[in-house]
């Protein structure tokens, strides 16, 4: 057992964890960040994607101890970023979900993708989002929602 | 949560994060077979979850700053052991096309953010993508252990499935690739997100008229063909030469059979990917 510190969605939190615990399980079970989802626990579905120090990782393939001293952001933690709020609204406007289980993962992933390249389109966009699976198959609505939100990432300041 | 699949948990181990190569080697010497090395962790965590491997100590290389470097010097590109696939994929000036194509074909962009080139190579599963590309480009691995350092060609590194020609107290600190190698390409065939059924990495140096074809996923370790094993007539049409390569495959490729593919199907796919790669490089429809 050891105590680690994770800044989860802006709040600095301590958790006592075993070395073999997954970041995913610690976020959900110990830090109450239930906004991060999971389906496969083997790196395939991408539903457990979080931003670790700003970069997307699959938290089911990441050890909790690896996040010690780092910042973890899930979709709900993006709320302070106006661009990301507009992105989430775009998901709603385009009906880019059916059951909604994949939405948090698509929101953090597309936020990362748009922050890097607000011009992204076509095959490049599809490839960049290919690490997350939507079982309900709302891909076209997701692509439309993300494409539509590009303007906010071009126009709005990075953090508000 | 206790329901569901074994993938939800990993059996117990102690996590160690050395700050230097010498400290990492000391830990590996001390704990011997009870210790395993971790780079990106994607492979080792998956294997531990599936209970295919176990370790009492997991030695994470990510705390060793010098292993995170990419350097160009003396005509070689040196890639440290913790350099991620994503970082290589994003190198705009990367001239080594086979490496670029192999790396960007692995898993998905999020996995590539964690997984490393050296980790993919050390995983040594028949279908992994990095080794055939590295071998065709003439890459070699830098090995460090208690006795010192040495270099081994990647072609001699992989002995068989999950088996490397290094000792348990040794680690690979990086991989170096000559940048003057010529033109190269990597073509793989996989059904959906499944693992490759066959892949071909081809490197050709038009000046020295050297051709190297490396086939991945057909045997326990990559199969290498060059002028001494393949009949390639410079100046002859690509189509004719491809038929010559296919003839060599008929005689010597002997693709394996496994749950992904029969030997016969793998032969067909091998011929298809090699033809595509050769046409990419030499032209032809
Ligand atoms: C969903 C999914 C899809 C995938 N698709 C593909 C694919 O299309 N193509 C493909 O090639 N792979 C694929 N993989 C496998 C994945 O790419 C590899 O597991 C990954 O690249 C390994 O890199 P890593 O840095 O995570 O290695 P780790 O997991 O850290 O290590 C892998 C192995 O190498 C050993 N090792 C690591 N570094 C060193 C070192 N420096 N010296 C000595 N030994 C070392 C470790 O002990 C371990 O046995 C996929 C994996 C997943 C989960
Ligand atoms: S739960 Fe992590 S990728 Fe599926
Ligand atoms: S909306 Fe149901 S999984 Fe995507």
């Amino acid at each position: 057992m050891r105590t680690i510190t994770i800044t989860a969605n802006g709040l600095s939190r301590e958790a006592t964890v075993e070395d073999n615990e997954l970041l995913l399980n610690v976020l959900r079970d110990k830090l109450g960040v239930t906004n991060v989802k999971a389906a496969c626990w083997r790196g395939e579905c991408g539903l457990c994607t979080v931003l670790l120090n700003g970069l997307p990782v699959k938290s089911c393939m990441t050890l909790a101890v690896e996040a010690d001293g780092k910042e973890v952001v899930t979709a709900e933690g993006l709320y302070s970023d106006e661009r990301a709020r507009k992105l989430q609204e775009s998901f709603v406007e385009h009906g880019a979900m059916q059951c909604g289980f994949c939405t948090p993962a698509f929101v953090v992933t597309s936020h990362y993708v748009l922050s890097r390249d607000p011009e992204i389109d076509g095959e490049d966009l599809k490839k960049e989002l290919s690490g997350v699976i939507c079982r309900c198959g709302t891909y076209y609505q997701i692509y439309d929602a993300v494409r539509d939100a590009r303007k906010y990432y071009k126009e709005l300041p990075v953090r508000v | 949560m206790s329901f569901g699949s074994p993938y939800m948990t990993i059996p117990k181990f102690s996590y160690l994060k050395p700050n230097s190569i010498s400290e990492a080697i000391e830990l590996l010497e001390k704990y011997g077979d009870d210790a395993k090395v971790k780079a990106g962790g994607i492979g080792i965590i998956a294997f531990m979850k599936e209970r295919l491997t176990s370790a009492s100590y997991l030695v994470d290389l990510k705390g060793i700053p010098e292993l995170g470097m990419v350097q160009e010097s003396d005509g070689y590109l040196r890639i440290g052991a913790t350099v991620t696939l994503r970082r290589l994929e994003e190198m705009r000036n990367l001239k080594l096309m086979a490496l670029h194509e192999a790396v960007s074909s692995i898993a998905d962009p999020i996995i590539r953010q964690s997984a490393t080139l050296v980790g993919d190579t050390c995983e040594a599963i028949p279908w992994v993508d990095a080794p055939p590309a590295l071998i065709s480009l003439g890459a070699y691995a830098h090995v460090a252990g208690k006795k010192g350092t040495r270099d081994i060609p990647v072609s001699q590194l992989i002995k068989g499935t999950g088996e490397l020609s290094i000792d348990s107290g040794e680690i690979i600190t990086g991989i170096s690739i000559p940048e003057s190698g010529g033109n190269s390409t990597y073509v793989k065939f996989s059904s959906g997100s499944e693992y490759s059924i066959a892949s071909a990495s081809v490197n050709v140096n038009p000046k020295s008229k050297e051709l190297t074809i490396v086939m991945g996923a057909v045997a326990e370790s990559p199969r290498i063909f060059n002028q001494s094993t393949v009949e390639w007539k410079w100046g002859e049409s690509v189509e004719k030469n491809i038929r010559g390569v296919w003839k060599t495959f008929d005689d010597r490729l002997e693709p394996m059979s496994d749950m992904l593919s029969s030997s016969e199907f793998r032969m067909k796919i091998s011929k298809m990917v090699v033809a595509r790669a050769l046409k990419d490089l030499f032209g032809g429809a």
Side-chain angles (χ1 to χ4, degrees):
Chain A
M1 284 286 201
R2 62 171 94 194
T3 302
I4 59 169
T5 308
I6 296 178
T7 304
N9 290 333
L11 292 177
S12 177
R13 308 276 303 275
E14 280 191 353
T16 306
V17 304
E18 297 279 2
D19 287 1
N20 62 336
E21 277 189 87
L22 298 170
L23 176 59
L24 167 68
N25 296 352
V26 167
L27 285 172
R28 286 187 58 88
D29 300 345
K30 295 197 167 158
L31 298 178
V33 184
T34 52
N35 180 238
V36 56
K37 307 298 178 197
C40 72
W41 268 268
R42 50 188 289 172
E44 282 166 10
C45 71
L47 296 190
C48 63
T49 304
V50 299
L51 300 178
L52 185 62
N53 276 1
L55 299 175
V57 297
K58 298 193 176 181
S59 62
C60 75
M61 302 297 280
T62 308
L63 302 173
V65 288
E66 290 182 77
D68 190 15
K70 295 189 180 159
E71 192 190 13
V72 173
V73 172
T74 68
E76 64 190 339
L78 289 174
Y79 209 74
S80 58
D81 188 319
E82 192 183 349
R83 303 169 306 164
R85 277 206 301 279
K86 297 280 188 195
L87 169 67
Q88 294 179 55
E89 282 166 22
S90 186
F91 268 70
V92 175
E93 280 158 20
H94 284 272
M97 68 212 60
Q98 181 170 268
C99 72
F101 201 62
C102 67
T103 314
F106 270 110
V107 166
V108 282
T109 308
S110 42
H111 171 72
Y112 163 77
V113 169
L114 291 177
S115 309
R116 285 171 74 240
D117 179 8
E119 309 280 351
I120 193 160
D121 202 357
E123 284 304 309
D124 289 341
L125 176 61
K126 288 185 186 173
K127 271 193 209 147
E128 284 299 306
L129 295 180
S130 66
V132 187
I133 290 175
C134 172
R135 277 284 171 104
C136 300
T138 61
Y139 293 105
Y140 286 94
Q141 289 82 352
I142 293 169
Y143 300 144
D144 286 345
V146 176
R147 224 179 275 123
D148 227 17
R150 289 178 304 181
K151 53 181 181 279
Y152 306 118
Y153 286 77
K154 283 181 237 173
E155 289 159 10
L156 293 172
V158 170
R159 272 215 184 255
V160 279
Chain B
M1 264 173 289
S2 58
F3 61 90
S5 85
Y7 303 119
M8 291 176 178
T9 59
I10 313 177
K12 269 200 178 3
F13 60 81
S14 297
Y15 176 80
L16 305 168
K17 198 172 179 185
N19 298 312
S20 68
I21 295 173
S22 54
E23 200 190 324
I25 292 167
E26 258 170 50
L27 291 169
L28 292 175
E29 280 288 330
K30 183 169 163 197
Y31 296 118
D33 288 341
D34 288 338
K36 293 263 154 61
V37 174
K38 169 187 169 296
I42 299 292
I44 190 91
I45 289 179
F47 270 62
M48 288 168 96
K49 283 180 171 183
E50 292 185 44
R51 277 66 175 169
L52 292 172
T53 192
S54 65
S56 307
Y57 301 91
L58 196 59
V59 180
D60 194 346
L61 301 181
K62 282 203 300 192
I64 306 172
E66 62 186 286
L67 297 185
M69 290 199 277
V70 179
Q71 287 162 303
E72 263 182 294
S73 69
D74 302 330
Y76 283 87
L77 182 70
R78 186 182 173 130
I79 300 160
T82 59
V83 173
T84 62
L85 299 172
R86 187 69 175 164
R87 183 151 158 223
L88 295 172
E89 177 189 355
E90 291 190 331
M91 281 176 61
R92 288 189 193 278
N93 54 353
L94 190 64
K95 290 176 228 104
L96 307 161
M97 279 320 284
L99 180 69
H100 176 81
E101 288 162 356
V103 157
S104 29
S105 81
I106 293 174
D108 63 63
I110 308 174
I111 293 282
R112 295 200 291 273
Q113 195 83 62
S114 302
T116 65
L117 180 76
V118 173
D120 196 64
T121 307
C122 291
E123 205 158 271
I125 312 175
W127 51 263
V128 288
D129 293 295
L134 290 172
I135 293 169
S136 75
L137 293 167
Y140 58 89
H142 305 288
V143 184
K146 205 175 74 182
K147 285 182 234 137
T149 58
R150 63 196 169 102
D151 296 337
I152 346 175
V154 176
S155 56
Q156 287 165 30
L157 177 68
I158 299 163
K159 285 202 299 193
T161 303
E163 255 187 278
L164 300 179
S165 50
I166 60 171
D167 298 332
S168 60
E170 289 182 314
I171 59 163
I172 305 221
T173 53
I175 283 177
S176 281
I177 312 170
E179 291 193 290
S180 56
N183 305 327
S184 62
T185 189
Y186 183 77
V187 176
K188 82 175 187 187
F189 178 88
S190 59
S191 50
S193 66
E194 296 282 348
Y195 316 127
S196 285
I197 287 171
S199 66
S201 192
V202 180
N203 187 23
V204 55
N205 192 330
K207 277 200 212 113
S208 61
K209 296 214 184 321
E210 277 173 87
L211 173 76
T212 313
I213 299 175
V214 183
M215 299 300 295
V218 293
E220 285 217 0
S221 51
R223 299 287 311 275
I224 307 166
F225 297 89
N226 51 30
Q227 255 100 356
S228 58
T229 40
V230 133
E231 204 181 306
W232 187 272
K233 296 196 182 98
W234 298 88
E236 187 62 270
S237 77
V238 203
E239 285 74 16
K240 267 213 176 121
N241 272 323
I242 288 174
R243 277 199 289 277
V245 172
W246 286 357
K247 170 85 179 50
T248 310
F249 280 12
D250 284 332
D251 295 341
R252 334 171 64 137
L253 187 65
E254 293 172 7
M256 62 182 180
S257 262
D258 62 10
M259 61 183 200
L260 288 180
S261 164
S262 65
S263 174
E264 293 76 27
F265 186 63
R266 207 168 237 129
M267 176 63 92
K268 284 189 182 148
I269 298 298
S270 299
K271 289 180 176 175
M272 183 191 85
V273 289
V274 84
R276 214 177 269 173
L278 290 165
K279 283 177 185 170
D280 268 5
L281 290 177
F282 290 94

